[in-house]
Amino acid sequence: MDVNAWGAKFKNLRTALDLTQAELGKMLGLSQVTVANYEQGKRFPKYDTLLDIARIFSVSLDILINPNANSSPSSHFPPGFLFGLDQLIAILLNKPLEDAITYTASWKQQEKLGLAAFFETVLIPVLVKTGEDWFQGDILISEEHLISAKVRELIFFHSNRESEHTAAFPDTAWRWMGFCAPGEKHELALLMLAHILRLEGWHTVYLGTQLPFNDLLEAIGKYKPDVLGISITMEENVAGLELYIKQIEEKFGGKPAIILGGQGAALIDTSRFAAVYAGAKTLMEGVRLAAQVLINNKA
């Protein structure tokens, strides 16, 4: 076998999915140096590694090891292939995370989706449908947790890839802090927003769920955010969040501005508060509203 020719083919497979050597190495459990050695023809993978490579790039082992055979990681997903939520959910439930990465990377690439559009059209609908399936008894709570955990990994993977090419240098004058309403456990949409804002140049502080109120007040005082992004989905958590907002405004006045998001945002009467803005219904609406609020407050 011409190891140099195989290495060139291996590199073409990697670059076709826009993966770095380090990213592919992580997926294979190898170092970046090992991947580089494969591509340069200095080393050839063991059989088990070849199987992993073939699975990640969705090509047969025969095609993979034949340097003259025409192959592409997207050959399993040809032009016109219909990507779908049901297929992705099945992969998340039954396949390794690497398969979900390959599938979503191909989907994102073929549809030419930016990060925000990818989150809006792929990952958020997956979470919504997963919640519906659990509520209807079609999947177990353990399966819902498994899907959510893998979606979290996909958020970080695709965000980090995007940041290598498009991240703006953080403007420390644009500060955003995000957390979930007391009692909330659904945080992934807010996490997506934090990543998008970071790519837009915001200095972001993401606090997640189950944050004690006194710790929240200390964090606001320490990081001095211009905008607080708060996610709420459950009606039963409205009263607790309203109490949080009231005490935040009493301590800090009209700053920071507060933007609500999530299905429960519409249940809160924003007219009762000095610095609470209407809920954002989409991620990009949240980005635009945060910028608008910041500009208005700085004027």
Side-chain angles (χ1 to χ4, degrees):
M1 175 182 291
D2 186 340
V3 179
N4 288 323
W6 184 88
K9 180 177 185 177
F10 176 62
K11 181 177 180 179
N12 288 336
L13 289 167
R14 174 181 64 79
T15 56
L17 277 186
D18 195 27
L19 293 169
T20 66
Q21 290 179 341
E23 288 170 345
L24 180 56
K26 185 176 180 180
M27 295 167 69
L28 292 168
L30 304 172
S31 69
Q32 181 269 330
V33 172
T34 300
V35 173
N37 285 337
Y38 289 164
E39 293 184 358
Q40 295 166 15
K42 296 179 180 179
R43 294 182 60 182
F44 188 76
K46 296 179 181 179
Y47 179 73
D48 289 345
T49 303
L50 283 172
L51 291 177
D52 289 338
I53 293 171
R55 176 173 53 78
I56 287 172
F57 292 121
S58 299
V59 297
S60 70
L61 188 59
D62 290 340
I63 290 177
L64 178 65
I65 63 177
N66 181 356
N68 297 317
N70 183 28
S71 66
S72 164
S74 61
S75 63
H76 190 65
F77 312 124
F81 177 83
L82 297 178
F83 291 97
L85 299 181
D86 289 335
Q87 293 92 325
L88 178 53
I89 289 173
I91 291 172
L92 292 169
L93 279 173
N94 303 306
K95 301 291 184 179
L97 175 64
E98 291 77 9
D99 287 23
I101 289 174
T102 301
Y103 188 81
T104 53
S106 298
W107 192 340
K108 187 172 182 290
Q109 182 180 22
Q110 183 163 300
E111 300 298 325
K112 296 181 174 58
L113 299 173
L115 186 66
F118 170 70
F119 286 163
E120 294 274 15
T121 61
V122 179
L123 294 191
I124 287 181
V126 162
L127 293 172
V128 171
K129 190 173 189 312
T130 298
E132 292 173 349
D133 289 347
W134 170 75
F135 184 77
Q136 295 170 3
D138 295 331
I139 62 173
L140 301 173
I141 187 64
S142 59
E143 293 175 314
E144 187 270 340
H145 286 184
L146 174 62
I147 291 173
S148 296
K150 288 185 176 179
V151 167
R152 172 183 282 273
E153 295 282 355
L154 291 174
I155 292 170
F156 280 100
F157 177 83
H158 288 285
S159 297
N160 290 338
R161 289 182 65 191
E162 197 91 4
S163 68
E164 291 183 356
H165 307 293
T166 61
F169 190 80
D171 184 342
T172 55
W174 289 52
R175 293 176 173 268
W176 176 92
M177 177 181 289
F179 66 96
C180 294
E184 289 288 329
K185 298 179 180 179
H186 300 90
E187 60 165 327
L188 294 182
L190 188 66
L191 179 61
M192 294 179 205
L193 177 60
H195 280 281
I196 294 171
L197 286 168
R198 178 170 58 86
L199 290 173
E200 294 285 331
W202 285 73
H203 176 81
T204 61
V205 178
Y206 180 73
L207 301 178
T209 62
Q210 300 179 347
L211 184 67
F213 184 68
N214 288 336
D215 288 3
L216 171 62
L217 293 180
E218 288 190 18
I220 294 173
K222 177 179 180 180
Y223 295 106
K224 298 178 173 55
D226 299 288
V227 177
L228 282 181
I230 308 177
S231 176
I232 178 167
T233 60
M234 309 298 291
E235 183 177 359
E236 56 265 32
N237 295 326
V238 167
L241 178 56
E242 289 180 337
L243 181 60
Y244 266 38
I245 294 172
K246 180 181 178 182
Q247 294 186 54
I248 290 171
E249 289 195 341
E250 287 177 355
K251 183 172 180 64
F252 298 101
K255 294 183 179 180
I258 297 173
I259 298 176
L260 305 176
Q263 296 177 354
L267 302 175
I268 294 180
D269 182 5
T270 58
S271 65
R272 297 175 51 206
F273 304 100
V276 178
Y277 291 79
K281 297 181 176 61
T282 67
L283 295 177
M284 287 313 298
E285 186 178 338
V287 172
R288 289 191 295 269
L289 187 55
Q292 177 185 335
V293 167
L294 179 62
I295 292 171
N296 290 343
N297 286 350
K298 297 280 187 184

